[in-house]
């Protein structure tokens, strides 16, 4: 079974750094793209960016370029979403999802990681 | 403001048919890029409902169907059931933005 499992919920203070993970199983992790999606409380889905673990080719949404870093470690079938200095406005649920290519459908999705940033 | 436009809400009685529209532009839906639909039940991750404009993944009931024409796509749900109450999102790719784009989401209420 193809599965993406994300790391657990995080509670952080403004200014702190954070790295959340998304681990794939049941398929060749290096042959598919992993995308990241933000969902703020009570709001819709926003595409943040995408990475190809095979060669770390990474593309960002203009809205998130410079705000986050997407990376991957193909040796352990993991993709990451990282912040160097969190803001309260980063409070959201973050999902990862698998793509065949950047233009294709996202499936399956991880279960989501809730990030809460509060002083 | 989402690149793809969906109605914020739709509703219908059990057994009825509802449609959800997704309107884009010449840089996304009108091109060769496909439209996909996701269902998000309360408190859960989105789940793929329709891919490639009109294809259902295994396990999705045939009450759900999708179509695409010009700059718009539609999701139709027939024989509405209480468990269909959820948020629905369309998704495509935009060549101007060089990235994935989502609709703003539509909340379906089963009366």
């Amino acid at each position: 079974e193809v599965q993406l499992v994300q790391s657990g919920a995080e509670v952080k203070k403004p200014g702190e750094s954070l790295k959340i993970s998304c681990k794939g199983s049941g398929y060749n992790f290096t042959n598919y793209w992993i995308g990241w999606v933000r969902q703020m409380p009570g709001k819709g889905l926003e595409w943040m960016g995408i990475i190809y673990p095979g060669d770390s080719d990474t593309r960002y949404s203009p809205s998130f370029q410079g705000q986050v870093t997407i990376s991957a470690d193909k040796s352990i079938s993991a993709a990451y979403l990282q912040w160097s200095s969190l803001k309260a406005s980063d409070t959201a649920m973050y999902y990862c999802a698998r793509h065949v290519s950047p233009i294709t459908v996202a499936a399956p999705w991880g279960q989501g990681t809730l990030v809460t940033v509060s002083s | 403001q989402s690149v793809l436009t969906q109605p914020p809400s739709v509703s219908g009685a059990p057994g009825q048919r509802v449609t959800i529209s997704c309107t884009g532009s010449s840089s996304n839906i009108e091109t060769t890029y496909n439209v996909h639909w996701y269902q998000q039940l309360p408190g859960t991750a989105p789940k793929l409902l329709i891919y490639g404009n009109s294809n259902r993944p295994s396990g999705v009931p045939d009450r759900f169907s999708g179509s695409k024409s010009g700059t718009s796509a539609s999701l139709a749900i027939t024989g509405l059931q209480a468990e269909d109450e959820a948020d629905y999102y369309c998704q495509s790719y935009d060549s101007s933005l060089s990235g994935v784009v989502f609709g703003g989401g539509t909340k379906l209420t089963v009366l």
Side-chain angles (χ1 to χ4, degrees):
Chain A
E1 178 196 5
V2 175
Q3 207 172 3
L4 296 177
V5 177
Q6 298 184 230
S7 50
E10 301 274 1
V11 179
K12 292 289 190 179
K13 291 181 166 33
E16 292 186 331
S17 63
L18 176 64
K19 190 175 189 177
I20 62 175
S21 67
C22 168
K23 295 203 73 173
S25 62
Y27 71 100
N28 189 335
F29 190 75
T30 57
N31 288 356
Y32 293 81
W33 295 74
I34 294 289
W36 287 95
V37 174
R38 182 177 79 174
Q39 187 169 38
M40 299 179 76
K43 302 298 184 184
L45 306 175
E46 300 173 89
W47 182 74
M48 302 176 73
I50 196 166
I51 188 167
Y52 187 71
D55 62 5
S56 292
D57 182 4
T58 308
R59 296 121 190 246
Y60 292 93
S61 160
S63 299
F64 291 93
Q65 178 83 49
Q67 308 304 308
V68 296
T69 301
I70 294 171
S71 61
D73 184 343
K74 62 185 180 183
S75 69
I76 57 171
S77 300
Y80 303 98
L81 180 64
Q82 184 174 355
W83 294 260
S84 59
S85 180
L86 287 161
K87 302 184 283 285
S89 57
D90 293 317
T91 294
M93 182 71 83
Y94 294 87
Y95 294 103
C96 63
R98 189 186 79 161
H99 296 253
V100 171
S101 82
I103 71 170
T104 62
V105 65
W109 292 57
Q111 83 277 18
T113 295
L114 179 62
V115 174
T116 303
V117 184
S118 174
S119 55
Chain B
Q1 184 112 3
S2 302
V3 172
L4 305 180
T5 301
Q6 298 180 232
S9 64
V10 297
S11 62
Q16 284 190 332
R17 178 182 187 269
V18 296
T19 61
I20 298 172
S21 61
C22 174
T23 302
S25 68
S26 58
S27 60
N28 43 67
I29 293 180
E30 195 175 34
T31 66
T32 57
Y33 301 124
N34 289 323
V35 176
H36 319 291
W37 292 90
Y38 303 90
Q39 178 192 59
Q40 187 176 31
L41 296 168
T44 69
K47 182 191 100 170
L48 179 63
L49 199 62
I50 296 287
Y51 68 95
N53 305 318
S54 59
N55 302 290
R56 281 187 312 276
S58 172
V60 173
D62 61 6
R63 302 186 297 103
F64 295 90
S65 63
S67 63
K68 174 184 142 174
S69 178
T71 59
S72 293
S74 288
L75 172 71
I77 311 172
T78 59
L80 264 183
Q81 299 181 4
E83 64 251 35
D84 298 333
E85 194 159 281
D87 293 322
Y88 293 84
Y89 295 90
C90 59
Q91 177 238 309
S92 187
Y93 182 86
D94 191 284
S95 57
S96 296
L97 298 173
S98 296
V100 169
V101 288
F102 285 101
T106 298
K107 182 174 182 58
L108 169 62
T109 301
V110 181
L111 302 170

